[in-house]
Amino acid sequence: QVQLMESGGGSVQAGGSLRLSCTASTYDYNTYCLGWFRQAPGKEREGVARIYLANDSVFYVSSAKGRFTISQDKVKNTAYLQMNHLKPGDSAVYYCAAYRVYPGSSCSLNSDQFAHWGQGTQVTVSS
């Protein structure tokens, strides 16, 4: 059972930055696809970015490109989401999620593929 623990949420003013962390409890960490998702009140959950932990391949949705950076520290089994130039529209509960990538499959941001989820961390951006 993979356990994910997020941290780093908080409240910032528009234009500010936050770095979210997601620490995984698995020795197979390198075989996983890890994604960051967010859900604002009354809205559907949406993917933000994902990273394939085996080769650092990354993908961002358009709203995150140029402002957010997803990365990992393999020694710490931790992935990060650096968020810069935050906007009020970025306010949401942010979740990290992961699934194991088997041969023949790929790392994507399709939420249906993600088997393991963290508890979420709140990000609030005020104008």
Side-chain angles (χ1 to χ4, degrees), residues 36-98:
W36 285 98
F37 296 81
R38 66 187 183 185
Q39 188 166 23
K43 294 188 177 181
E44 293 187 356
R45 182 176 58 197
E46 61 174 347
V48 176
R50 65 94 177 133
I51 183 169
Y52 183 33
L53 301 179
N55 62 13
D56 286 327
S57 168
V58 299
F59 172 82
Y60 302 92
V61 296
S62 58
S63 60
K65 283 182 181 178
R67 299 189 301 127
F68 293 4
T69 302
I70 189 170
S71 62
Q72 65 165 323
D73 183 331
K74 292 186 177 183
V75 173
K76 296 181 179 180
N77 272 15
T78 299
Y80 303 97
L81 184 68
Q82 176 68 43
M83 305 186 294
N84 299 326
H85 305 295
L86 283 162
K87 306 174 182 179
D90 294 317
S91 297
V93 177
Y94 282 71
Y95 300 89
C96 67

Side-chain angles (χ1 to χ4, degrees), residues 81-121:
L81 184 68
Q82 176 68 43
M83 305 186 294
N84 299 326
H85 305 295
L86 283 162
K87 306 174 182 179
D90 294 317
S91 297
V93 177
Y94 282 71
Y95 300 89
C96 67
Y99 67 93
R100 190 167 187 173
V101 180
Y102 292 94
S105 63
S106 61
C107 178
S108 77
L109 203 50
N110 180 354
S111 62
D112 291 342
Q113 302 226 51
F114 287 83
H116 312 286
W117 292 80
Q119 83 288 352
T121 185

